[in-house]
Amino acid sequence: MSASLNARIEEARAQALAALSSARNPADLEKVRVEYLGRSQGRLRDLLTALKDLPAEDRRAAGAKINALKEDLAGALSGRAEQLGRSGGSSAAGGADLTQPGLARQVGHLHVISQTLEAIKDVFGALGFSPVEGPEVETERHNFDALNIPKDHPARDSFDTFFLSCGLLLRSHTSPAQVRVMESQAPPVRVIVPGRVYRPDAVDATHFYCFHQCEGLMVDEGVSFSDLRAVLTMGMEGLLGAGTKLRFRPSFFPFTEPSAEVDVSCIFCKGAGCKVCKQSGWVELLGAGLVNPAVFEAVGYDTERYTGFAFGIGVERLAMFRYGINDIRLFLENDVRFLEQF
Ligand code: FA5
């Protein structure tokens, strides 16, 4: 074999392998492929063309050598491509290719109900109400009796719940926590109790069997209905925006007297009437009232000295109203397309 053709073959091998090892991306690899293995102008094609100038007896061995080089380079090319694919391609030895777009990291955030609970805590916290927790598994005394809902009284139906075999039950409202707080401390009291509650309610667009409430309780000397009105008005303005109006409709809860259902003016139509408020201009969000002296008696508070108010906000209903959500079931479906909007 001609010494010079042999040298050219070895030189091509060394240069191609060096070019491959410094290739950093698919474009670099393609350049090497075209330069060495390209059909029309590749260096291996030139070597093959040069075969014709060799004496006939040398051609066979030289041709085999060029073909071996071609196979070696093809193997080295795909090996390097695989290597670059694994490392994601890089612009500097071992480093990241800073010219490539970054990979977005999926970051979670608080569920819209947790965000609403946080907002409630912030707003009422600013009004001097400290958050406390009550147990979700309760006694009949705390959920009913001490709240002036005696056995067999029809009011039990509104707060019916899931009873456990051990005589305990799942609390059907956050009001039992009022009793626990008053049992454990003397007045003055100013607390809110956010938490989960349970009821055997049929599920529809506005009802679920497991939902959240936030109780509020203030007890001191001289607490009146106007304090309740002022606190709720400031609270709802904080949660729904300045100018939000409240409407108190007489109602009945065994643990408050007088009692009221509290409606807020619709934040979408400003009271003019729309789909969200069912054309009424108002949306019912909570129950409230002055603490019934019967509850004070059950916890041992002096009914001559102290008065107080309590309220219970439906947190899902508040969130639905705040964000214009029309179905409570969406909160629990865990569909990220819904959740990532908030
Ligand atoms: C109560 O649960 C009383 N404990 C509230 C209260 C506290 C009154 C303190 C007076 C003093 P009510 O059953 O109305 O009241 O429920 C309060 C709120 O919870 C309702 O206004 C509504 O927003 C929400 N709610 C009630 N049932 C459901 C349900 N099945 N699914 C979702 N939200 C509900």
Side-chain angles (χ1 to χ4, degrees), residues 159 173 175 199 201 207-208 211 213 215 253 287 312 314 317:
F159 302 99
H173 48 164
S175 300
R199 289 185 194 182
D201 285 357
H207 293 82
F208 217 81
F211 57 101
Q213 287 188 340
E215 196 80 3
F253 295 105
R317 300 267 178 90

Side-chain angles (χ1 to χ4, degrees), residues 2-116:
S2 141
S4 78
L5 185 62
N6 200 27
R8 281 176 64 197
I9 294 170
E10 288 313 315
E11 186 187 37
R13 176 187 291 278
Q15 288 175 345
L17 292 177
L20 278 181
S21 73
S22 55
R24 295 291 162 225
N25 52 46
D28 290 351
L29 288 180
E30 180 58 9
K31 251 192 245 160
V32 178
R33 189 193 67 75
V34 171
E35 183 178 346
Y36 290 90
L37 302 174
R39 276 178 207 274
S40 54
Q41 290 179 329
R43 281 175 63 177
L44 266 66
R45 183 188 159 280
D46 292 348
L47 293 171
L48 284 168
T49 311
L51 283 178
K52 70 176 181 337
D53 302 325
L54 289 185
E57 65 275 19
D58 290 345
R59 264 182 224 151
R60 196 183 176 83
K65 209 159 180 192
I66 296 168
N67 278 333
L69 173 59
K70 192 173 164 187
E71 273 177 31
D72 290 350
L73 288 189
L77 253 169
S78 64
R80 183 69 182 138
E82 203 179 300
Q83 223 177 22
L84 288 178
R86 269 201 307 271
S87 68
S90 56
S91 59
D97 181 355
L98 302 181
T99 64
Q100 293 286 318
L103 293 175
R105 190 180 285 194
Q106 295 270 337
V107 181
H109 62 74
L110 285 182
H111 189 279
V112 55
I113 292 299
S114 303
Q115 289 182 44
T116 308

Side-chain angles (χ1 to χ4, degrees), residues 285-339:
L285 277 192
L286 60 126
L290 291 186
V291 180
N292 193 318
V295 178
F296 284 162
E297 270 162 23
V299 297
Y301 274 13
D302 181 347
T303 54
E304 294 301 315
R305 187 167 168 203
Y306 296 111
T307 49
F309 65 72
F311 58 85
I313 307 172
V315 178
E316 276 76 2
R317 300 267 178 90
L318 174 66
M320 286 170 79
F321 183 48
R322 250 180 134 204
Y323 299 108
I325 297 163
N326 60 8
D327 198 318
I328 196 170
R329 289 167 284 205
L330 290 164
F331 292 126
L332 284 135
E333 279 172 357
N334 271 340
D335 184 337
V336 259
R337 290 168 304 177
F338 169 75
L339 295 174

Side-chain angles (χ1 to χ4, degrees), residues 53 85 111 136 151 160 173 180 197 229 232-233 242 250 267 287 308:
D53 302 325
H111 189 279
E136 289 176 25
K151 234 185 187 64
D160 193 15
H173 48 164
R180 289 190 175 274
V197 301
R229 190 172 183 111
L232 280 180
T233 303
I267 51 174

